[in-house]
């Protein structure tokens, strides 16, 4: 039996843990994290599957991750698990001052230029508008779904902070580092930085289509109908790490969303939430490293730095991380013979 430990309880960590269970035979997987489910950044996210470009990562690699993730979600949506997993098909509109540039937009169900009639049905006026049909993955349902699947397959959970990967030397054959923002301290990655976001959740059951717009980059706005409510956002504030709802941001989000959908002024506000996305200067880090400590060395597969693309890339990145782990495990086991 091979022992693998996954560090991180968000959508990246749990996707990686489940993927390993489903792919690598004779393996015991343990997930260790300080935070799970509603305590994670993933839980705050609306979870709409919107392909876009990722600097620092090759076009081919991004397309593979997006394609694998979309195939995974589509399979669930077309199954009896869709409700429990918090997934549904969702259509909507992108508005912008520049043409929409998103790697993989041809992978989702539909993406086309909006018609003149469609554009005129909204009070906002932008030079460019597109219509899309994609997937909504609500992580407040999807994370418990993954956790349940992981435990049912024999996975182990430990809720605690990990101070150093050195503690796993001699105890596990492989470490999967899905620590997100924690990678800055855990592995000394100084290219990591927080990207603060903030949202409303409101009751507006009459809204059935998503609306997303780029006002002044990187200031954007989005209205995303979910299962039980509607998410209004947002902001992308780099290098801001406080976790307190900002009333200035609240007003800015509210005003932009009202401009896109005036009927929201009748919506009942349920809550306001914020979170920190794990930004990284050079984009996603997904690679193998042998880390050496005074007591010995251990192989690590790093899988972090996804910023706001956890849902978009999680399963595709988990699949590649699992392939890396499987290859490295062969070497580890041969060395022990």
């Amino acid at each position: 039996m091979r022992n693998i430990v996954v560090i991180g309880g968000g959508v990246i960590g749990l996707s990686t843990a489940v993927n390993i269970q489903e792919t690598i035979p004779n393996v015991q997987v343990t997930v260790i994290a300080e935070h799970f489910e509603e305590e994670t950044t993933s839980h705050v996210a609306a979870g709409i599957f919107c392909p876009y470009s990722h600097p620092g990562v090759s076009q081919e690699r991004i397309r593979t991750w997006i394609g694998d993730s979309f195939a995974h979600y589509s399979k669930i949506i077309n199954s009896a698990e869709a409700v429990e997993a918090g997934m549904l098909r969702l259509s909507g509109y992108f508005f912008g001052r520049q043409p929409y540039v998103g790697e993989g937009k041809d992978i989702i169900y539909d993406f086309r230029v909006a018609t003149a009639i469609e554009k005129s049905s909204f009070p906002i006026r932008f030079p460019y508008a597109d219509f899309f049909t994609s997937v909504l993955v609500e992580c407040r349902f999807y994370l418990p779904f993954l956790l349940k699947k992981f435990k049912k397959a024999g996975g182990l959970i430990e809720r605690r902070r990990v101070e150093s990967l050195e503690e796993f030397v001699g105890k596990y054959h492989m470490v999967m580092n899905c620590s997100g923002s924690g990678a800055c301290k855990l592995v000394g990655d100084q290219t990591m930085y927080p990207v603060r976001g903030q949202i409303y959740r409101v009751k507006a059951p009459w809204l059935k289509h998503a609306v997303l717009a780029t006002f002044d980059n990187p200031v954007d706005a989005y209205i995303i109908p979910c299962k039980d409510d509607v998410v209004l956002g947002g902001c992308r504030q780099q290098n801001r790490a406080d976790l307190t709802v900002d009333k200035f941001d609240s007003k800015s989000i509210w005003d932009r969303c009202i401009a896109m959908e005036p009927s929201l002024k009748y919506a009942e506000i349920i809550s306001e939430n914020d979170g920190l996305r794990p930004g990284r200067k050079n984009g996603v880090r997904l690679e193998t490293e042998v880390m050496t400590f005074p007591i010995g060395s251990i192989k690590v597969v790093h899988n972090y730095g996804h910023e706001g693309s956890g849902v978009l890339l999680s399963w595709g990145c988990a699949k590649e991380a699992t392939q890396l782990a499987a290859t490295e495990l062969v070497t580890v086991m041969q060395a022990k013979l």
Side-chain angles (χ1 to χ4, degrees), residues 27-268:
V27 64
Q28 176 64 64
V29 184
T30 301
V31 173
I32 302 179
E34 186 176 10
H35 304 295
F36 286 94
E37 297 183 337
E38 70 275 4
E39 301 166 336
T40 66
T41 298
S42 302
H43 181 86
V44 178
I48 193 167
F49 193 97
C50 293
Y52 60 91
S53 301
H54 293 73
V57 183
S58 72
Q59 183 181 40
E60 180 181 2
R61 209 173 181 199
I62 286 294
R63 284 189 62 84
T64 297
W65 293 344
I66 291 174
D68 287 343
S69 293
F70 192 74
H72 168 71
Y73 297 139
S74 293
K75 182 178 179 181
I76 294 176
I77 279 183
N78 291 316
S79 76
E81 296 180 316
V83 175
E84 183 183 1
M87 297 186 193
L88 53 84
R89 290 182 182 84
L90 182 65
S91 297
Y93 297 89
F94 287 113
F95 293 94
R97 304 194 189 284
Q98 301 293 331
Y100 182 82
V101 179
E103 188 57 54
K105 62 186 181 183
D106 58 313
I107 293 173
I108 62 177
Y109 297 125
D110 188 22
F111 192 99
R112 59 170 173 78
V113 175
T115 66
I117 292 177
E118 288 173 319
K119 291 173 67 175
S120 67
S121 67
F122 291 89
I124 53 175
R125 294 291 180 264
F126 285 91
Y128 299 93
D130 300 288
F131 175 85
F132 69 92
T133 300
S134 188
V135 174
L136 180 71
V137 182
E138 289 197 73
C139 280
R140 54 181 177 163
F141 302 111
Y142 185 50
L143 293 184
F145 171 80
L146 286 176
L147 199 57
K148 179 181 176 181
K149 183 182 289 285
F150 174 70
K151 290 179 178 178
K152 187 175 181 180
L156 303 176
I157 294 291
E158 291 184 28
R159 181 187 289 268
R160 63 180 177 86
R161 179 191 293 269
V162 175
E163 300 294 345
S164 172
L165 299 186
E166 184 176 11
E167 69 174 87
F168 305 116
V169 175
K171 299 178 182 178
Y172 291 90
H173 296 103
M174 179 76 60
V175 175
M176 311 299 290
N177 176 24
C178 307
S179 56
S181 298
C184 180
K185 292 182 179 179
L186 189 61
V187 294
D189 191 337
Q190 298 305 309
T191 68
M192 294 292 295
Y193 58 90
V195 182
R196 181 182 173 277
Q198 183 172 315
I199 63 166
Y200 282 96
R201 286 191 179 273
V202 304
K203 286 186 178 180
W206 58 88
L207 296 181
K208 304 300 182 183
H209 285 79
V211 184
L212 301 91
T214 300
F215 282 73
D216 295 295
N217 192 42
V219 176
D220 53 13
Y222 48 85
I223 301 167
I224 302 175
C226 299
K227 177 184 175 183
D228 301 319
D229 53 29
V230 178
V231 171
L232 312 181
C235 57
R236 292 179 179 272
Q237 299 165 341
Q238 294 187 3
N239 296 307
R240 181 175 173 182
D242 60 290
L243 281 174
T244 303
V245 171
D246 186 311
K247 293 304 177 184
F248 175 82
D249 291 330
S250 297
K251 185 178 186 307
S252 177
I253 292 168
W254 188 260
D255 289 347
R256 279 180 277 133
C257 289
I258 289 289
M260 295 194 298
E261 183 54 72
S263 69
L264 279 169
K265 64 183 179 181
Y266 300 109
E268 175 187 343

